[in-house]
Amino acid sequence: MEERKASKRCGGVFPFIIGFLATCVLGWAVIPGLFFEKEEQPVWFSHAVHVEGQGMDCESCHYFRDDGTYAGFPTNEVCAECHAVDPEEAQAAIAEEGIDPTDYDAIMKAGIGAIEDNLASSDEDKMQAEREYVVKYLIQGKEVPWLNYQYQPDNVYFSHASHMSLSIEDLASLKKELSDVVDPSVFEGEAPEQNCNLCHPKDIQANDVPPALERNILSGYSKTTMKMWKCERCHALKGQPNACYTCHK
């Protein structure tokens, strides 16, 4: 009888362990992924083409205004310095062809000279991306609704100006302490002049296809939105204030 009871007790442990492990796998590896959906950028933008191909740097598009505020994404005014399609001339040509100015597919298929003759790209795929930008946004006077990978909550104030002096070379001494805050590979090799890689996707300047934004279906924020504990960790290690009012205005 004692052997039989022990056998029954033992038989009940294994299903519990299996169930526990399965729950852990579901809870940590499977279920979290179900709360995110992927969204593609409205226009295929290649950083590699602009940085490596055209010799532009970060400040060409992402710069500080005269009042010290950060511009973030470039406007049509900035893009039009290189993508020199005249909106009025293009719209007049579209009207001459009798095409609805909101019928983007028809405009792109029409091969309108005022547009096609001023496209800067040589590769067909990249030319199509440029064509979409020009037709859907530039000549329409609409700004591109770029998806922000690290958009912050409205109650968070982040100053790029306050962080631009951070040196990757200097922070390398804190590599171990920052291992779960900053991608450790950022500290490998020769330190770049700009410190964008500390918070933004590493080597984005060499990226040819923009990564999809993973948006949380509950909060609406990106998966890569900066986490408060990461900011606090870095502030503490650098001897900077961590009071609520430092970042929450």
Side-chain angles (χ1 to χ4, degrees), residues 16-135:
F16 171 78
I17 294 175
I18 293 172
F20 176 75
L21 293 175
T23 301
C24 290
V25 171
L26 286 171
W28 286 329
V30 179
I31 293 178
L34 300 178
F35 288 98
F36 290 90
E37 59 183 7
K38 291 186 176 183
E39 294 181 38
E40 300 295 337
Q41 292 287 357
V43 177
W44 174 20
F45 180 88
S46 169
H47 276 89
V49 166
H50 291 79
V51 177
E52 297 176 0
Q54 299 300 318
M56 299 171 69
D57 54 27
C58 298
E59 286 84 0
S60 299
C61 299
H62 313 289
Y63 56 88
F64 291 97
R65 302 184 184 93
D66 292 337
D67 63 359
T69 58
Y70 191 59
F73 295 113
T75 61
N76 282 336
E77 183 180 1
V78 174
C79 299
E81 292 177 8
C82 297
H83 300 281
V85 175
D86 185 284
E88 291 184 5
E89 184 181 338
Q91 289 289 7
I94 292 169
E96 286 180 12
E97 293 288 333
I99 301 174
D100 182 342
T102 62
D103 190 344
Y104 305 137
D105 289 335
I107 296 171
M108 288 188 282
K109 290 176 182 177
I112 296 172
I115 296 174
E116 298 297 318
D117 295 345
N118 293 292
L119 296 180
S121 303
S122 54
D123 178 271
E124 182 54 41
D125 288 337
K126 293 177 175 62
M127 184 179 289
Q128 178 59 21
E130 182 183 5
R131 186 180 291 116
E132 286 187 25
Y133 162 66
V134 169
V135 171

Side-chain angles (χ1 to χ4, degrees), residues 194-205:
Q194 295 158 324
N195 62 15
C196 309
N197 286 342
L198 288 172
C199 301
H200 295 284
K202 184 176 181 291
D203 297 330
I204 191 66
Q205 73 278 0

Side-chain angles (χ1 to χ4, degrees), residues 216-236:
N216 188 302
I217 60 176
L218 298 180
S219 69
Y221 291 110
S222 166
K223 194 173 187 178
T224 51
T225 292
M226 293 168 62
K227 309 298 187 294
M228 187 168 71
W229 68 267
K230 291 187 176 183
C231 300
E232 290 177 329
R233 174 79 60 81
C234 196
H235 274 217

